[in-house]
């Protein structure tokens, strides 16, 4: 690893601190180096707050060193006025001569304009250091802007014999509402709640709500609750279910037009035809939702798989046998990675290189 890569890697690690809190903005980290020493660093913490470069510059105690320093940033500095002023202007104002950038921002209002402005102001600019790693860091943001849809993560847990839930008779016999039939262990379940804090939204179908009455929050891990997205074609979900408690922003996609004034509840009218999922993800893009964790039942998950409309899949294999029940989705892919979590196995799939 050369010097530029070393400091860019630090930018990436800093940027990861913002996972789950910067939406709809990207994850960005920045490091300022003088005489082979880091004199300032920062990351973007929350949408509407200072960007990574601003935090890094503000952290430098001796500002006179900036005119002789190099600033590293994982994503191209912005060049437009949004909720905050352009970072390019701040870099130029402090006369920082050297700028090393991980990757170009795909957002139309930036998209090379930041680099152009820096060069026009006689800055030395290097682009593409750990570019692949910087692209991976912002896979959600890049998918949102390039594909015009959210980044889609499929998640489910299945038994050793390939079921995601016991059959209805067994559920009723075991009084699942009082004693749930868990496929995975408590450690795996906590990991799922961690994921919920990292993704902007979570999606399930009607059957999952009616069968399990889930809260779809992150109660077992500290962080933000995801936006809840519910597919409820025929409005079968009554006010008694947890997803209508108003405690988190919740979208209900339905074929009927419903007007409501309940806080945090939004009904979206949509046509349930062969293009439904494509139209759904298009609508979510318009609502500036960058990522979805799909935890819905087998039918919902398989629908996304059949359309090849997914980016990652995270599949838990629990150390249990159900013998019968609802079959797990079929995913004809080879896992990129397999992890042991006590007696559970987690298989990680990617639908891109």
């Amino acid at each position: 690893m050369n010097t530029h890569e070393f400091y860019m890697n630090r930018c990436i690690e800093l940027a990861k601190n913002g996972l789950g809190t910067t939406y709809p903005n990207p994850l960005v980290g920045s490091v300022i180096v003088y005489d082979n020493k880091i004199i300032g660093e920062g990351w973007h913490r929350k949408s509407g707050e200072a960007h990574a470069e601003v935090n890094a510059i503000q952290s430098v105690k001796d500002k006179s060193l900036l005119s002789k320093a190099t600033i590293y940033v994982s994503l191209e500095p912005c060049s437009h006025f949004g909720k905050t002023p352009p970072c390019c202007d701040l870099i130029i104002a402090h006369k920082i001569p050297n700028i090393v950038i991980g990757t170009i921002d795909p957002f139309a209002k930036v998209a090379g304009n930041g680099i152009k402005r820096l060069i026009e102001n006689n800055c030395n600019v290097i682009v593409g250091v750990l570019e692949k790693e910087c692209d991976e860091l912002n896979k959600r943001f890049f998918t949102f802007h390039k594909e015009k849809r959210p980044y889609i993560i499929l998640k489910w847990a299945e038994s050793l014999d390939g079921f995601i839930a016991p059959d209805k008779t067994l559920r009723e016999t075991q009084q699942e509402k009082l004693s749930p039939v868990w496929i995975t262990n408590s450690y795996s379940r906590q990991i799922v709640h961690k994921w919920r804090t990292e993704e902007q939204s979570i999606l399930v179908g009607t059957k999952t709500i009616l069968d399990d009455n889930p809260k779809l929050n992150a109660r077992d891990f500290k962080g933000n609750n995801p936006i809840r997205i519910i597919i409820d074609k025929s409005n079968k979900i009554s006010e008694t279910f947890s997803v209508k408690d108003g405690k988190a922003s919740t979208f209900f996609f339905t074929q009927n037009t419903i007007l409501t004034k309940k806080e945090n509840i939004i009904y979206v009218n949509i046509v349930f035809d062969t293009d439904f999922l494509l139209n759904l993800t298009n609508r979510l893009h318009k609502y500036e939702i960058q990522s979805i964790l799909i935890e819905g039942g087998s039918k919902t998950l398989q629908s996304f798989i059949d359309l090849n409309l997914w980016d990652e899949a995270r599949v838990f294999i629990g150390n249990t046998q159900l013998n019968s029940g609802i079959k797990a989705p079929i995913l004809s892919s080879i896992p990129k990675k397999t992890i042991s979590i006590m007696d559970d196995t987690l298989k990680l799939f990617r639908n891109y290189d």
Side-chain angles (χ1 to χ4, degrees), residues 14-231:
L14 288 168
K16 290 178 181 178
N17 289 319
L19 184 57
T21 63
T22 66
Y23 297 115
N25 290 354
L27 299 168
V28 186
S30 182
V31 168
I32 300 174
V33 177
Y34 171 72
D35 195 23
N36 294 318
K37 293 180 181 179
I38 293 177
I39 60 172
E41 59 183 28
W43 69 90
H44 183 42
R45 299 171 184 269
K46 187 177 180 180
S47 176
E49 295 185 2
H51 289 186
E53 301 95 316
V54 176
N55 289 328
I57 290 171
Q58 289 178 345
S59 74
V60 176
K61 294 181 180 180
D62 184 356
K63 298 294 192 293
S64 68
L65 297 178
L66 290 171
S67 63
K68 298 173 282 187
T70 298
I71 184 168
Y72 292 81
V73 59
S74 57
L75 187 69
E76 176 185 4
C78 63
S79 56
H80 68 291
F81 282 89
K83 293 181 179 179
T84 58
C87 291
C88 280
D89 289 358
L90 186 64
I91 293 171
I92 294 166
H94 282 282
K95 299 181 179 179
I96 301 175
N98 306 303
I99 298 92
V100 180
I101 298 168
T103 191
I104 298 173
D105 191 333
F107 181 41
K109 291 184 178 180
V110 185
N113 290 320
I115 295 169
K116 181 181 178 183
R117 180 178 293 188
L118 292 169
I119 292 174
E120 288 174 346
N121 282 271
N122 300 314
C123 296
N124 301 312
V125 181
I126 296 174
V127 183
V129 175
L130 295 187
E131 183 176 16
K132 184 178 180 180
E133 291 82 354
C134 290
D135 287 351
E136 176 67 17
L137 170 70
N138 275 306
K139 56 192 177 185
R140 299 163 181 84
F141 183 76
F142 278 44
T143 298
F144 180 82
H145 285 286
K146 291 182 177 181
E147 304 295 330
K148 307 301 180 186
R149 64 165 175 81
Y151 188 84
I152 298 170
I153 302 171
L154 311 178
K155 172 265 162 185
W156 73 85
E158 63 181 75
S159 62
L160 288 171
D161 49 353
F163 296 97
I164 65 169
D167 59 38
K168 186 176 181 180
T169 302
L170 180 61
R171 290 159 71 94
E172 292 173 348
T173 301
Q174 296 185 351
Q175 297 180 315
E176 189 187 1
K177 291 186 183 297
L178 296 177
S179 302
V181 177
W182 294 113
I183 291 176
T184 56
N185 60 48
S186 59
Y187 298 98
S188 296
R189 295 197 294 274
Q190 188 176 40
I191 287 173
V192 173
H193 282 243
K194 177 179 181 292
W195 292 342
R196 290 179 181 181
T197 69
E198 296 172 347
E199 305 310 325
Q200 195 173 4
S201 67
I202 183 171
L203 181 149
V204 300
T206 307
K207 191 173 188 303
T208 295
I209 301 297
L210 297 180
D211 287 349
D212 302 332
N213 190 22
K215 294 182 175 65
L216 301 180
N217 59 17
R219 58 194 176 276
D220 291 339
F221 203 88
K222 185 178 180 180
N224 294 331
N225 287 322
I227 296 168
R228 299 181 294 204
I229 300 169
I230 315 299
I231 299 173

Side-chain angles (χ1 to χ4, degrees), residues 269-313:
N269 183 238
I270 193 168
V271 177
F272 282 72
D273 57 11
T274 54
D275 294 324
F276 165 68
L277 289 184
L278 294 174
N279 291 332
L280 171 69
T281 55
N282 181 57
R283 291 286 191 93
L284 294 177
H285 180 269
K286 291 180 179 178
Y287 283 113
E288 291 195 319
I289 293 176
Q290 273 188 31
S291 69
I292 321 172
L293 181 63
I294 299 178
E295 292 195 32
S298 187
K299 181 179 178 181
T300 299
L301 289 160
Q302 194 66 56
S303 296
F304 280 90
I305 293 170
D306 291 345
L307 278 180
N308 199 33
L309 189 59
W310 61 281
D311 298 288
E312 289 184 33

